[in-house]
């Protein structure tokens, strides 16, 4: 919505946000893939819609490669391992020790089966060799609510919500699922630094248009979105929320999207995660 406001100023038009959540982003992606290729429908995709779901589901109602034309990446959005502060572990080392001493008694919530939080949770389980239980939710609100209420012990949460709750003393951030620490929380180690390597694939926000959109329109939208994303008001929102702005050309976006497809697909297959 923040980008929409800035983009509307650049284009001199109203930008309407149509939130079509569900099925790991598949509902919104299917709708956008069938929209007219005229530049008036943009789709903000994630690693779910364009890197995870094709390995997670037997059949998708859209093809993430063939049905969409890349516009630009917007931001890298790492997951943060967040714990209820009332639990008897204050860092990753203590969490692993507790989980090994209490197999099957530690659970973690995610925003749904196959979400980046679920994949990161299974990576934690596999790489740390601990028995923790996945509890899928329909969205972030329910998962975080139950974390705060003590019904679950852990969540791989998005940075904006996690950082805000940590500042209020409602949660404890144990680690960052990325290759580097976040400037917004420099004292929190990456999970690799904390002793559990290999959990460093961040989430993404990225724009697409339906395939067949004229190249001149793709170029125009890319230029205007990059201006909007790099504006101080938008950049500040992302940085304060723990994300990194990564605006790119359509060609760069296409190359990185293929890399994401391969990296996340390999992890999904290795862990044996399925949504159907």
């Amino acid at each position: 919505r923040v980008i929409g406001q800035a983009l509307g100023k650049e284009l001199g038009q109203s930008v309407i946000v149509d939130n079509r959540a569900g099925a790991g982003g598949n509902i919104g992606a299917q709708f956008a893939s069938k929209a007219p290729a005229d530049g008036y429908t943009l789709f903000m995709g994630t690693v779910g819609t364009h890197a995870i779901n094709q390995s997670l589901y037997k059949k998708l109602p859209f093809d993430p490669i063939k049905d969409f034309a890349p516009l630009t990446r917007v931001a890298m959005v790492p997951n943060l391992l967040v714990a209820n502060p009332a639990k008897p572990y204050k860092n990753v080392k203590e969490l692993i020790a507790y989980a090994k001493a209490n197999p099957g008694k530690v659970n973690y919530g995610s925003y749904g089966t196959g979400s980046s939080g679920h994949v990161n949770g299974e990576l934690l389980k596999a790489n740390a060799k601990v028995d923790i239980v996945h509890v899928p939710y329909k969205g972030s609100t329910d998962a975080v609510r139950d974390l705060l209420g003590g019904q679950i012990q852990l969540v791989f949460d998005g940075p904006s919500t996690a950082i805000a709750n940590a500042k209020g003393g409602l949660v404890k951030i144990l680690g960052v699922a990325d290759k580097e620490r976040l400037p917004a929380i420099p004292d929190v180690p990456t999970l690799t630094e904390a002793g559990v390597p290999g959990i460093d694939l961040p989430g993404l926000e990225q724009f697409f248009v339906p395939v067949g959109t004229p190249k001149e329109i793709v170029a125009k939208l890319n230029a205007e979105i990059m201006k909007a994303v790099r504006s101080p008001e938008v950049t500040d929102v992302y940085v304060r929320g723990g994300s990194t702005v990564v605006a790119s050309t359509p060609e760069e976006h296409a190359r990185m999207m293929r890399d994401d497809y391969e990296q996340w697909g390999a992890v999904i297959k290795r862990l044996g995660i399925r949504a159907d």
Side-chain angles (χ1 to χ4, degrees):
R1 295 181 187 278
V2 173
I3 294 174
Q5 293 175 357
L7 181 59
K9 293 178 182 178
E10 296 290 343
L11 293 173
Q13 300 186 50
S14 297
V15 176
I16 300 170
V17 178
D18 184 0
N19 185 20
R20 293 178 181 251
N26 289 345
I27 292 175
Q30 180 184 18
F31 175 82
S33 71
K34 308 302 181 185
D38 55 9
Y40 285 93
T41 298
L42 311 183
F43 177 63
M44 178 169 271
T46 64
V47 291
T49 59
H50 282 75
I52 292 177
N53 291 355
Q54 56 265 40
S55 297
L56 191 70
Y57 293 85
K58 291 181 180 178
K59 187 176 181 180
L60 291 179
F62 65 95
D63 188 308
I65 304 297
K66 295 179 180 179
D67 291 343
F68 290 94
L71 271 181
T72 180
R73 289 195 167 192
V74 173
M76 307 290 282
V77 187
N79 285 157
L80 308 183
L81 178 57
V82 178
N84 184 302
K87 303 306 175 183
Y89 31 81
K90 304 302 179 186
N91 53 54
V92 174
K93 183 178 180 180
E94 291 179 2
L95 165 64
I96 300 305
Y98 182 88
K100 288 185 175 180
N102 298 273
K105 294 185 179 180
V106 175
N107 54 38
Y108 74 94
S110 79
Y111 303 164
T113 299
S115 63
S116 60
H118 177 206
V119 176
N120 280 316
E122 292 304 298
L123 280 171
L124 175 65
K125 181 177 179 177
N127 295 2
K129 296 180 174 59
V130 292
D131 181 10
I132 58 177
V133 180
H134 176 224
V135 182
Y137 288 83
K138 293 183 178 180
S140 61
T141 301
D142 292 342
V144 173
R145 180 199 63 213
D146 277 7
L147 176 72
L148 300 182
Q151 286 81 13
I152 55 176
Q153 289 88 52
L154 304 167
V155 166
F156 273 95
D157 198 8
S160 59
T161 305
I163 291 171
N165 284 331
K167 287 180 178 179
L170 300 176
V171 302
K172 172 71 175 179
I173 302 175
L174 303 184
V176 179
D178 202 350
K179 292 179 174 63
E180 298 179 358
R181 297 190 183 199
L182 297 185
I185 44 173
D187 294 334
V188 178
T190 67
L191 288 172
T192 296
E193 292 175 323
V196 189
I199 311 176
D200 53 16
L201 291 175
L204 288 169
E205 291 183 3
Q206 48 192 339
F207 274 113
F208 300 87
V209 287
V211 71
T213 300
K215 290 184 178 180
E216 61 272 18
I217 294 179
V218 169
K220 173 67 173 178
L221 288 172
N222 172 265
E224 298 302 337
I225 291 173
M226 290 179 77
K227 287 181 187 177
V229 169
R230 288 170 173 166
S231 66
E233 59 266 32
V234 174
T235 298
D236 183 60
V237 169
Y238 274 101
V239 172
R240 284 191 289 107
S243 299
T244 304
V245 172
V246 287
S248 57
T249 67
E251 294 76 18
E252 290 169 338
H253 187 192
R255 288 194 298 271
M256 291 184 285
M257 186 176 69
R258 288 192 291 270
D259 290 342
D260 294 335
Y261 183 100
E262 294 176 0
Q263 289 179 317
W264 282 96
V267 170
I268 295 292
K269 291 173 183 176
R270 176 166 64 87
L271 296 175
I273 301 174
R274 298 296 303 176
D276 50 17

